Amino acid sequence: MDSLWTSETPPPPARENLEASITRLNNASPEVNVNDVFACFVSLNADATQPQANALSMALLSGAASSNDEVANMASLALCLISFAPDPKVHIYTTGNKGSVVLCGWGGSTPTELAPLATVYQSMGFRTAIVCGSPIPYCKAQQVREVVEFAKGAQSGAPFVFHGWSINGFLLLPKLVKALESTSTRLSAVVMDSGPSFDVDTTLLQGAMTQCMRLTLVRAGVSVIDPRAKATLQRLSSFTKKFEGQDHPNDVVKDYLKQPHECPYLFLYGLKDALVPATGVEAFIDKLKAANPRITVESVTFPTSPHAQHAKREPEKYKSGLEQFLQRTDPRRVGR
């Protein structure tokens, strides 16, 4: 399964080879192998149309139920990774001269789900880049490169904001901060919704992964009682504690706190959040302040809304807190 973790963008398979791979996976051919899984995996992360994506997902589901354990494990992991970022493309809106923002969604989110908040920023004159952060190394590297190019177009002295959701949204932040060191642009503020935390329970992570997978199945028109779906979901627990060869999200958060980016932070979090509890976010805030006392931190809490749904459940409170924070931290006003 090492090939799924490649940091180099693999070339897409030839059409006839891909069709042959899909056929072998769907027909449970005795000749099926991990190369068939990889071909579908790469194609799903390219510019596949929705019908193509559905066909590729169905082939991987068939692979997950294969009697070949190597194929079954790789197909299940491939679906798991893709489920966290079903649309790995960066969606950019460049009209606006008041500022720029990178919106990085929670695991399993789609650009459509992030669009309402992008509209809020656009109404304030912000350029926007929507990213559904991928856990796949070569996809994440490409996302970072595209966001850096977006950053190069930011107006000098105007706000450049990172707005992330949950653990998955946060994971792009350290890589982006480092990548921006090669440019003249720096983040002027960080907004985090429903996270992060450096102590997320692995059983809760498994639940989040299961939910992302269920959404992928729904999009592909597959029932969760389908034997192939059951086979995939049963294997998720083996990917929860640590993706093979990859840092656990908790470790990434802890590493960031060793030298956090110096800028104002706004945390928007729920007091009843079951995935990333308020105590976890507040522990992160305490560590952030201890790591660099010069960092200013603001918070807005939501008493009842669930994980990553605060903007949807309490839009006026969310928008008001966000706008006030952006006004107070605008580098053109505070002389930063």
Side-chain angles (χ1 to χ4, degrees), residues 90 92 94 99-102 127-129 143-161 176-177 179-187:
V90 178
I92 291 174
T94 57
S100 302
V101 62
V102 178
R127 302 161 66 245
T128 60
Q143 289 175 334
V144 171
R145 285 192 292 269
E146 291 183 33
V147 171
V148 168
E149 287 302 309
F150 169 76
K152 290 178 181 177
Q155 185 180 22
S156 178
F160 186 64
V161 180
L176 179 58
V177 168
L180 287 173
E181 291 175 356
S182 64
T183 75
S184 60
T185 304
R186 297 290 182 271
L187 290 172

Side-chain angles (χ1 to χ4, degrees), residues 101-105 114 117-118 121 128-132 161-165:
V101 62
V102 178
L103 299 148
C104 192
L114 301 180
L117 198 61
Y121 276 101
T128 60
I130 295 177
V131 190
C132 297
V161 180
F162 179 88
H163 190 136
W165 282 262

Side-chain angles (χ1 to χ4, degrees), residues 166-167 192-200 253 257 266-271 273 275-289 297-301 307 310:
S166 191
I167 304 298
M192 280 304 309
D193 180 322
S194 303
S197 170
F198 51 78
D199 192 26
V200 176
V253 177
L257 286 168
L266 170 65
F267 294 89
L268 304 148
Y269 61 98
L271 300 180
D273 192 323
L275 180 58
V276 182
T279 52
V281 178
E282 289 160 0
F284 178 90
I285 292 172
D286 290 342
K287 293 283 187 182
L288 181 65
K289 291 177 178 178
V297 174
E298 297 183 27
S299 300
V300 178
T301 59
H307 185 71
H310 314 310

